[in-house]
C-alpha cells in the first residue's frame, strides 16, 4: 500500500473541527495547561493514529487524554495509560522502548499501529455517542487503508468495542449479528481478521488490578501471534 495515503489521512484528521464541544475543550486545555506541563506548547488538536502503514496488528483505544495525547500530539503518549501500554508492547517485542514521552523520543512500533475511535480529548474522558458517530468515518478510512496487511485488532475497553464494531462493518468486514458483547479476552474471528477485547489501560483498571501487566501482555502476545508478528518470549 502507499504509505502516503495513511499520512494524508492523518493530516486531514488533525484539521478536523466537526464537534464543537470537543474543539472547545481540547483548545481550552491547551491554553490553561496543567501546572506540571506549564512549559509545554500543547498540541491541542485531533490526534492521529501512530504506527506503520503496513501494520498487521491494530490497537484501538478510546480517545486522547487531555494532558496526554492532547499535549504531545501522539496516541497514548505522555500519560499513565500510555506508560502501561507501551511498556507491555516493549515487553512482548512490539516496541523499540518501554516509554512514550513525546514525539521524536525514538519510539518505534513493530508491525503495530495505535488509533482510537475519537480523535479529540473529551471532557471527563467521556465522548458522547454523537461525537463517537461523527468521528467514525476517520476510523473507517483508516481500516480501509490498513486492510491489505491487517490481521488482528485489540480493542481496549467497552466504549472502543462499541465504536469499533460498526466501523469494521462499514469498512467491509461482516460483523456477527447480534453484535458480540465486550469482555476481556473475548475473541471474535472475522473474515481474515481476528478481533480481541482487552480491558482499557486506564488508571482505574490498572491501579485496582482489574487489568494487570501480565493480562495485557497475554492479549497482546496472542493477537501478535495471530497476526504473524514475532514476539519476545515471556
Amino acid at each position: 500500500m502507499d504509505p502516503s495515503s495513511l499520512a494524508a489521512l492523518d493530516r486531514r484528521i488533525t484539521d478536523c473541527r466537526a464537534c464543537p464541544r470537543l474543539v472547545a475543550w481540547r483548545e481550552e486545555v491547551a491554553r490553561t495547561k496543567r501546572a506540571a506541563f506549564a512549559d509545554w506548547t500543547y498540541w491541542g488538536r485531533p490526534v492521529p493514529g501512530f504506527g506503520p502503514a503496513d501494520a498487521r496488528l491494530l490497537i484501538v483505544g478510546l480517545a486522547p487524554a487531555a494532558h496526554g495525547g492532547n499535549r504531545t500530539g501522539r496516541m497514548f503518549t505522555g500519560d499513565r495509560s500510555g506508560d502501561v501500554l507501551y511498556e507491555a508492547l516493549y515487553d512482548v517485542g512490539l516496541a523499540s522502548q518501554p516509554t512514550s514521552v513525546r514525539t521524536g523520543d525514538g519510539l518505534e512500533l513493530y508491525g503495530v499501529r495505535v488509533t482510537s475511535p475519537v480523535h479529540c480529548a473529551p471532557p471527563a474522558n467521556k465522548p458522547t455517542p454523537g461525537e463517537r458517530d461523527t468521528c467514525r468515518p476517520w476510523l473507517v478510512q483508516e481500516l480501509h487503508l490498513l486492510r491489505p496487511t491487517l490481521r488482528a485488532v485489540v480493542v481496549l475497553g467497552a466504549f472502543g468495542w462499541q465504536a469499533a464494531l460498526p466501523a469494521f462493518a462499514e469498512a467491509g468486514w461482516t460483523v456477527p449479528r447480534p453484535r458480540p458483547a465486550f469482555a476481556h479476552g473475548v475473541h471474535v474471528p472475522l473474515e481474515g481478521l481476528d478481533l480481541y477485547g482487552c480491558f482499557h489501560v486506564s488508571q482505574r483498571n490498572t491501579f485496582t488490578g482489574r487489568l494487570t501487566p501480565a493480562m495485557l501482555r497475554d492479549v497482546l502476545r496472542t493477537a501478535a501471534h495471530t497476526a504473524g508478528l514475532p514476539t519476545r518470549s515471556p
Side-chain angles (χ1 to χ4, degrees):
M1 67 177 292
D2 180 6
S4 66
S5 297
L6 194 57
L9 175 67
D10 290 344
R11 287 193 296 270
R12 293 198 302 274
I13 287 173
T14 63
D15 290 332
C16 184
R17 301 183 65 84
C19 299
R21 187 182 80 113
L22 298 187
V23 171
W25 174 251
R26 79 191 190 207
E27 294 180 356
E28 173 65 18
V29 169
R31 282 192 299 270
T32 58
K33 306 182 182 181
R34 178 176 283 171
F37 306 120
D39 60 340
W40 277 74
T41 299
Y42 274 50
W43 173 254
R45 299 164 68 186
V47 181
F50 169 57
D54 60 351
R56 300 181 67 84
L57 171 60
L58 182 67
I59 297 172
V60 180
L62 191 162
H67 301 281
N70 189 58
R71 170 172 59 91
T72 63
R74 192 169 72 190
M75 283 287 172
F76 282 105
T77 297
D79 61 21
R80 291 185 182 273
S81 295
D83 293 342
V84 171
L85 176 61
Y86 288 116
E87 183 174 9
L89 286 168
Y90 174 78
D91 287 344
V92 300
L94 298 174
S96 63
Q97 60 191 45
T99 56
S100 181
V101 179
R102 64 176 73 220
T103 57
D105 62 4
L107 175 64
E108 293 182 54
L109 300 182
Y110 304 138
V112 180
R113 184 169 170 86
V114 182
T115 193
S116 65
V118 175
H119 287 276
C120 291
N125 291 320
K126 292 182 179 178
T128 67
E131 290 161 350
R132 174 199 65 199
D133 295 346
T134 298
C135 210
R136 182 180 299 141
W138 294 124
L139 180 56
V140 173
Q141 293 177 64
E142 191 170 11
L143 290 171
H144 275 300
L145 292 169
L146 292 171
R147 184 159 189 162
T149 59
L150 191 62
R151 296 295 176 265
V153 180
V154 172
V155 181
L156 303 174
F159 182 95
W161 186 264
Q162 293 162 3
L165 291 180
F168 287 117
E170 288 184 34
W173 281 279
T174 300
V175 176
R177 305 285 298 187
R179 287 176 180 159
F182 172 79
H184 181 80
V186 67
H187 172 216
V188 179
L190 307 178
E191 65 271 27
L193 186 71
D194 286 88
L195 184 62
Y196 297 90
C198 179
F199 289 143
H200 196 277
V201 289
S202 67
Q203 292 183 59
R204 180 176 59 189
N205 288 336
T206 58
F207 282 9
T208 61
R210 189 181 192 215
L211 177 67
T212 66
M215 291 167 64
L216 178 57
R217 289 194 299 266
D218 285 347
V219 174
L220 292 174
R221 190 174 280 112
T222 298
H225 177 76
T226 302
L229 294 172
T231 60
R232 188 177 291 126
S233 299

